[in-house]
Amino acid sequence: MKGYTPPVSSEPAVDSAMREALALSLNGRGGAFPNPMVGAVVLGNGDGGSLVVGRGWHGCCGGPHAEAVALDEAGELARGATLVVTLEPCGHTGRTDPCVERIISSGISRVVAAMADPDPRMDGRGFEALRAGGVEVEVGLMAEEAARLNRVYLHYKRTGRSFLHLKLAATLDGRIAARDGSSRWITSGPARARAGSMRAEAGAVLVGAGTVLTDDPSLLPPEPQSPAYCRLVAAGRRPLPAGAKVFDRRARTVVAHPGESRPYWVPEGVDTLPLPEGPPGLDLHALLEGCASLGVGEVLCEGGAALATSLVSEGLVDRLSFFTAPALLGGEGLPVFGPLGIGSISEALEIEDARIEILGCDVLVEGGIVHRPG
Ligand SMILES: NC(=O)c1ccc[n+]([C@@H]2O[C@H](COP(=O)([O-])OP(=O)(O)OC[C@H]3O[C@@H](n4cnc5c(N)ncnc54)[C@H](OP(=O)(O)O)[C@@H]3O)[C@@H](O)[C@H]2O)c1
């Protein structure tokens, strides 16, 4: 049939094993970075090759790889079995032994992988080594889904930066705060609950100094809070009060600041990230590189307007979640964005793959921002 691309696998057991491996990979969210999230399932020879005899995932950087965990569980049942895995198995020695050697020596006869690993040490070499070791290899099953789940790792490998998710809430007339700076609450309960789960999912939240000064947010995620959860403040020239809620001891806080020396007003116990300065404030590329080096894979930026404008202008927003509430604040209110250098409708920044959701009486639009070259 013209235009029809058959799925890589048409074996229900392999498809279902890949779905399970993708779900298992999510156990590494927040812990695996800067490594990828990986899930693996071993399909033994029993029941016509549909019996799961091993399962594994990569839970934390430095910990055992998904393939090794699944093969340990399978033991002797790995001989002649199929290994279904969400990413190309590694062929180099890092903190753990290469998975490729382990797979070959365990007697696995076939590997079905969702996608290649873009790490320059890999990039297909793992598959080549498996084939050279006599293992049959198929690549591409549920590749899109695997890339979507591993977007933080893939983005980091491409850019060296943390993945930036920008979340904002505005009124119908595009205001994120009233004239007096107040913005609580623009959206209703269901939208705020959704925003809370975005914090937990990202594992780190970022706001500008203006938001700390105006709103004094605690920036905590809903319970249970991950011990690695991190609050980041993009500071500038204005000192922030020592009693700000973001400086309480309920989670790690990092103040990114211009220049080398630690600002005098940062309380003890709060970490700092010295950064170079650009014209509107901190160099935000350097900020996101710094976040990655702190072990933060994804950052949820919650504003305010000045920081959001800088991030969009710099082309640093990898995902946008924009809540619109059925209210008006008029021209006195604070606009979501300052100037973005757009002179004509043909230059509008479009949202690609936009997904729309109704939460209570608010509307959430999510997608990526398309930046035209030039
Ligand atoms: N509705 C919403 O979703 C939402 C979310 C958050 C906040 N808000 C509202 O937004 C208002 C605060 O927004 P805001 O624009 O005043 O402040 P902001 O964006 O939170 O913070 C801006 C400040 O961050 C510092 N900064 C460091 N590097 C920067 C860079 N590269 N680009 C921009 N800023 C950088 C600067 O501090 P210095 O000035 O010290 O140099 C700058 O003035 C409040 O009224 C708050 O209620 C609304």
Side-chain angles (χ1 to χ4, degrees):
M1 197 197 320
K2 208 176 163 196
Y4 172 72
T5 313
V8 176
S9 160
S10 54
E11 298 163 61
V14 175
D15 288 358
S16 131
M18 182 61 86
R19 269 192 290 277
E20 184 172 359
L22 288 166
L24 289 171
S25 75
L26 290 173
N27 290 313
R29 179 174 266 159
F33 187 82
N35 284 353
M37 299 194 300
V38 184
V41 168
V42 180
L43 280 179
N45 293 317
D47 276 353
S50 65
L51 195 68
V52 173
V53 294
R55 295 174 173 87
W57 65 86
H58 181 48
C60 66
C61 188
H65 287 191
E67 299 91 322
V69 177
L71 290 170
D72 279 349
E73 189 187 331
E76 273 307 302
L77 296 175
R79 298 226 156 262
T82 296
L83 173 72
V84 178
V85 61
T86 58
L87 191 72
E88 177 179 4
C90 69
H92 56 276
T93 306
R95 288 189 232 190
T96 60
D97 291 335
C99 288
V100 163
E101 283 174 21
R102 177 73 206 281
I103 292 167
I104 296 170
S105 66
S106 66
I108 286 283
S109 63
R110 178 187 178 209
V111 168
V112 178
M115 62 183 293
D117 186 341
D119 186 311
R121 293 170 297 179
M122 299 299 308
D123 213 9
R125 287 189 194 90
F127 296 137
E128 279 166 28
L130 285 170
R131 287 190 180 109
V135 179
E136 189 190 326
V137 177
E138 286 169 38
V139 186
L141 178 64
M142 300 182 199
E144 230 173 86
E145 177 68 355
R148 197 180 61 74
L149 292 184
N150 242 337
R151 66 187 184 186
V152 167
Y153 170 73
L154 298 176
H155 173 79
Y156 171 64
K157 283 288 151 191
R158 214 177 52 248
T159 65
R161 297 191 298 264
S162 298
F163 185 95
L164 194 283
H165 181 178
L166 175 62
K167 182 229 98 181
L168 292 165
T171 56
L172 279 181
D173 53 347
R175 307 285 142 175
I176 63 164
R179 181 174 52 194
D180 64 357
S182 57
S183 62
R184 290 174 174 180
W185 297 106
I186 285 180
T187 47
S188 54
R192 297 208 301 277
R194 184 58 186 281
S197 53
M198 286 177 190
R199 280 185 188 175
E201 204 174 294
V205 66
L206 164 71
V207 294
T211 298
V212 174
L213 288 167
T214 315
D215 293 354
D216 190 19
S218 67
L219 300 178
L220 293 169
E223 295 290 345
Q225 178 183 312
S226 150
Y229 184 79
C230 182
R231 303 174 288 188
L232 298 143
V233 179
R237 296 286 160 197
R238 289 173 290 175
L240 300 177
K245 289 191 189 125
V246 75
F247 295 144
D248 63 27
R249 300 294 171 94
R250 295 165 71 196
R252 181 185 186 190
T253 297
V254 179
V255 174
H257 62 88
E260 283 303 316
S261 42
R262 182 184 172 94
Y264 70 90
W265 47 262
V266 177
E268 220 174 288
V270 172
D271 294 331
T272 53
L273 180 64
L275 290 177
E277 237 179 321
L282 297 172
D283 176 338
L284 297 176
H285 289 258
L287 169 62
L288 292 172
E289 281 160 18
C291 289
S293 66
L294 292 171
V296 171
E298 178 173 348
V299 176
L300 179 74
C301 176
E302 298 197 6
L307 184 59
T309 302
S310 297
L311 286 165
V312 174
S313 304
E314 294 287 324
L316 286 170
V317 177
D318 303 303
R319 182 165 187 81
L320 176 70
S321 292
F322 196 106
F323 293 92
T324 302
L328 302 170
L329 282 168
E332 305 90 326
L334 179 65
V336 183
F337 294 114
L340 291 171
I342 296 168
S344 158
I345 187 71
S346 61
E347 297 165 15
L349 300 177
E350 282 164 17
I351 308 304
E352 66 181 348
D353 300 326
R355 207 183 62 82
I356 293 169
E357 194 179 335
I358 310 285
L359 290 144
C361 53
D362 303 315
V363 179
L364 169 63
V365 178
E366 290 191 290
I369 299 182
V370 183
H371 287 269
R372 294 200 176 83

